[in-house]
């Protein structure tokens, strides 16, 4: 998709990769970016630009989607970025942790895509970008709750892609490795900057890449997974 003159909506735009998406979209020529956050107050730090429109969206709230569909009726590119991460293994984590991760990482993406796919189609076509993780390909047990929600969202992306192909809406899956944001604060691994990830994702969208591995770690992990997915599963299981 051509990003020049696009009208984008970014969920979870107040910080982390979402905030980087807002600026990368403007740099790529978007004519308007709806920066969506659970609380409008948190969007103050995103910056001042006449092309940024602050909007309220908690992706777990149906009424927020209803209101936003009326306001943001010119969207051509949806970035489903909002996400939460609860650490914990599937054998020990509280069920509430599963509910919280699925509410945002799976049902949030579902509600957002169902709301905006018809709007994008009506506006002449465009794209949906869903932020997954390399852990959707193979699970690390300590991230079991989060991984399950992201793997389910990856399956959702494939179904959306098939369903929307003939309606002019491309659906992109993004599988980042570790990124330097609040989400992985305190986890001592090499991380990519959120600005670099956002830029690489938009380059992938411009090229029409369906599946995007936006950093060196995820790109090499993808090659290893293609060569021998069982070896990657065993490697992650031991971490
Ligand atoms: N960081 C990584 O290493 C990494 C790696 C792979 C994939 N990802 C994915 O990339 C995306 C962005 O992550 P990040 O690293 O930027 O995380 P982050 O810094 O923790 O930011 C998460 C964003 O999601 C928002 N959010 C959470 N629940 C929401 C809800 N119910 N409704 C609307 N917004 C909500 C947060 O808003 P509040 O400020 O209101 O909480 C915040 O803006 C996520 O989907 C994440 O899973 C991240």
């Amino acid at each position: 998709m051509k990003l020049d003159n696009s009208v984008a909506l970014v969920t979870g735009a107040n910080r982390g990769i979402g905030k980087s998406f807002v600026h990368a979209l403007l740099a790529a020529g978007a004519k308007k970016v709806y920066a969506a956050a659970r609380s409008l107050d948190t969007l103050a730090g995103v910056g001042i630009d006449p092309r940024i429109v602050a909007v309220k969206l908690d992706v777990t709230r149906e009424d927020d989607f209803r209101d936003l569909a009326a306001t943001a009726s010119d969207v051509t590119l949806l970035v489903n970025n909002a996400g939460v991460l609860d650490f914990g293994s599937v054998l020990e984590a509280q069920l509430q942790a599963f509910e919280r991760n699925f509410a945002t990482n799976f049902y949030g993406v579902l509600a957002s895509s169902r709301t905006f796919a018809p709007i994008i189609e009506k506006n002449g076509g465009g794209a949906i970008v869903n932020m997954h993780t390399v852990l959707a390909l193979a699970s690390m047990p300590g991230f079991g709750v989060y991984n399950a929600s992201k793997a389910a969202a990856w399956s959702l992306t494939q179904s959306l892609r098939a369903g929307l192909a003939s309606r002019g809406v491309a659906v992109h899956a993004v599988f980042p490795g570790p990124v330097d944001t609040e989400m992985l604060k305190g986890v001592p691994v090499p991380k990519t900057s959120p600005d670099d990830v956002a830029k690489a994702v938009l380059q992938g969208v411009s090229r029409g890449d369906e599946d995007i591995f936006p950093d060196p770690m995820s790109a090499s992990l993808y090659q290893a997974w293609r060569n021998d997915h069982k070896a990657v599963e065993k490697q992650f299981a031991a971490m």
Side-chain angles (χ1 to χ4, degrees):
M1 151 178 201
K2 228 166 100 304
L3 297 172
D4 204 32
N5 267 330
S6 59
V7 176
L9 186 142
V10 180
T11 69
N14 53 307
R15 60 190 172 93
I17 305 172
K19 182 175 167 183
S20 296
F21 268 126
V22 172
H23 293 286
L25 282 158
L26 294 178
K31 72 174 173 202
K32 191 193 284 183
V33 180
Y34 291 101
R38 290 197 264 209
S39 157
L40 287 173
D41 297 345
T42 63
L43 285 163
V46 174
I48 298 167
D49 187 298
R51 294 169 295 169
I52 301 176
V53 181
V55 290
K56 183 188 174 316
L57 176 67
D58 180 328
V59 299
T60 66
R61 295 183 59 102
E62 257 180 55
D63 49 346
D64 279 6
F65 278 113
R66 210 170 32 245
D67 295 347
L68 190 54
T71 318
S73 59
D74 50 353
V75 165
T76 59
L77 172 63
L78 168 67
V79 183
N80 283 317
N81 166 77
V84 292
L85 184 162
D86 276 271
F87 293 97
S89 86
V90 294
L91 290 172
E92 284 144 22
Q94 301 281 319
L95 279 183
Q96 287 92 326
F98 285 89
E99 285 162 7
R100 199 166 34 245
N101 282 246
F102 273 80
T104 300
N105 301 343
F106 178 80
Y107 287 106
V109 175
L110 177 64
S112 182
S113 304
R114 283 190 180 192
T115 301
F116 284 99
I119 291 175
I120 297 171
E121 184 184 11
K122 184 179 75 45
N123 291 328
I128 295 175
V129 176
N130 290 340
M131 291 296 281
H132 305 310
T133 158
V134 286
L135 299 178
L137 300 179
S139 185
M140 268 183 208
F143 292 80
V145 177
Y146 172 76
N147 298 342
S149 69
K150 290 286 187 178
W154 163 219
S155 176
L156 170 65
T157 292
Q158 294 171 67
S159 298
L160 286 169
R161 188 179 280 161
L164 293 172
S166 61
R167 295 167 54 183
V169 185
V171 185
H172 302 269
V174 184
F175 302 87
V179 186
D180 195 6
T181 67
E182 281 289 312
M183 187 168 271
L184 282 193
K185 198 173 163 196
V187 178
V189 291
K191 296 171 193 162
T192 305
S193 86
D195 287 352
D196 286 350
V197 168
K199 256 186 251 159
V201 171
L202 296 185
Q203 283 163 1
V205 170
S206 299
R207 281 194 301 267
D209 297 349
E210 288 192 339
D211 301 328
I212 300 170
F213 295 83
D215 56 276
M217 185 275 185
S218 62
S220 79
L221 192 278
Y222 177 54
Q223 285 312 321
W225 182 83
R226 285 186 63 171
N227 291 340
D228 187 349
H229 70 275
K230 291 304 289 180
V232 173
E233 180 187 330
K234 286 187 188 342
Q235 183 195 342
F236 278 12
M239 286 176 151

